[in-house]
Amino acid sequence: MTAWFRQAVFVPPPACVVADELGYFARAGLEVETVLIDSSTDQRDRLLTGDVDAAVTAIDNLIVWNSGGADLRVVAQIESTTPLRLVAQASVRRLEDLRGATLGVDAPDNGFAVVLRHLLGHHGLPPGAYEFEPVGGVRERFEALRSGSIDAAWLGPPLDELAQQEGLVSLLAVEDEVPDFPGQGVVAGPATRQAGRGKLSLYLAALEAARDWLHATPDDEIQDVLTRGGYGPASARAALRTRPVSLAPARAGLECILTMRDKLGMMPGQVPGADDLYDGCPLGLELRS
């Protein structure tokens, strides 16, 4: 009997593409529906109402979501780090040119906006030197860049590659600047972790099979599968670089985002620890040291 499972994503990540293309979801007895969402707020609301079973999102989002009582947890991490690039209009040649610029973000106070604040400050652009404008998820940021309504934004595969093909420029990459920054995680609410735990375990087992295949298979075969899933050459190479060695998040990654927030003065009232963000029960995983 096939079980229905809904995943909410901005762009399907490599492990999900592989699990779908190679039939790992089907072999696990799952019919997986991918819901493309346009904001982290939409993602949170769908998780809390049970409209989706799990979401693939920036792990930092949980710090804000759970400070409001959401009780969401990371149950797996499916990228070693995040292959995001800060992409800007062709007139922008260096980070200093972003002084006074409008930067498109999903939300100004959570997710990847936090690491953007951190990196801009590290390169000499303090808060107040630029303006954040919420424009939704990565697809919406891509369109805002194309229309010229924003000056720069984070983009990930495959949209960063498409943007550069259209003449936009890449200024920096998270994986180069903050190697400990964690990649996207699979997040689930209490209903999925409890009543839906059986389906969640099957879903994560399929992702584990995809993760294992990504490490055991020659790169050219991986690129062929990702190309079928909509990835371009540069995006496929980014996927190869960020293959996770385990679905269990590294403690260093979770502590990285907490430390980053603390230094920026962006900690919520109830400060979580790394163990408060993670639930490894569905696959019996432990946080990696």
Side-chain angles (χ1 to χ4, degrees):
M1 182 176 179
T2 301
W4 194 266
F5 193 94
R6 302 187 86 208
Q7 59 175 4
V9 306
F10 290 96
V11 174
C16 293
V17 171
V18 168
D20 186 33
E21 290 287 336
L22 298 187
Y24 292 130
F25 286 143
R27 269 177 255 170
L30 292 177
E31 179 72 31
V32 175
E33 178 188 355
T34 297
V35 179
L36 298 178
I37 49 90
D38 57 13
S39 73
S40 60
T41 301
D42 179 32
Q43 213 169 31
R44 178 202 63 198
D45 293 346
R46 286 176 182 268
L47 283 166
L48 293 178
T49 61
D51 181 67
V52 298
D53 298 291
V56 177
T57 196
I59 293 175
D60 177 85
N61 284 330
L62 270 71
I63 297 174
V64 171
W65 293 350
N66 286 356
S67 69
D71 191 24
L72 300 169
R73 294 291 186 274
V74 179
V75 294
Q77 183 178 322
I78 57 174
E79 298 170 327
S80 61
T81 188
T82 183
L84 284 178
R85 292 187 174 276
L86 183 60
V87 177
Q89 300 294 340
S91 59
V92 178
R93 296 300 179 187
R94 55 198 180 112
L95 286 170
E96 180 62 27
D97 294 339
L98 293 179
R99 194 172 292 275
T102 298
L103 310 182
V105 295
D106 168 33
D109 297 318
N110 59 278
F112 296 126
V114 176
V115 69
L116 182 53
R117 289 182 191 271
H118 166 78
L119 288 176
L120 291 176
H122 178 72
H123 287 280
L125 288 176
Y130 51 84
E131 179 183 1
F132 278 170
E133 180 175 327
V135 292
V138 65
R139 286 171 288 120
E140 287 72 27
R141 296 197 295 274
F142 174 61
E143 293 300 334
L145 279 167
R146 293 181 72 194
S147 71
S149 62
I150 60 173
D151 298 300
W154 286 131
L155 293 183
L159 297 176
D160 57 340
E161 183 178 0
L162 295 176
Q164 291 179 74
Q165 290 172 1
E166 295 194 14
L168 299 169
V169 298
S170 173
L171 297 176
L172 56 78
V174 172
E175 58 190 295
D176 296 333
E177 300 272 340
V178 193
D180 280 343
F181 192 81
Q184 292 187 101
V186 178
V187 174
T192 300
R193 300 197 316 270
Q194 296 164 17
R197 182 170 169 174
K199 288 197 305 180
L200 180 60
S201 294
L202 294 174
Y203 174 76
L204 293 177
L207 293 183
E208 172 61 16
R211 185 206 64 78
D212 185 61
W213 183 87
L214 283 165
H215 281 276
T217 306
D219 289 358
D220 58 342
E221 292 183 35
I222 295 172
Q223 290 175 324
D224 287 344
V225 171
L226 293 177
T227 298
R228 294 205 307 265
Y231 277 56
S235 301
R237 289 193 295 272
L240 293 174
R241 291 196 307 274
T242 58
R243 289 173 286 192
V245 296
S246 169
L247 290 185
R251 182 177 293 276
L254 300 185
E255 291 178 346
C256 173
I257 58 177
L258 292 170
T259 300
M260 195 175 288
R261 275 187 168 271
D262 187 42
K263 289 182 177 179
L264 289 168
M266 296 180 67
M267 275 295 198
Q270 296 191 359
V271 179
D275 292 313
D276 299 320
L277 302 176
Y278 182 61
D279 180 356
C281 291
L283 280 185
L285 300 171
E286 298 287 343
L287 272 176
R288 291 183 290 119
S289 59

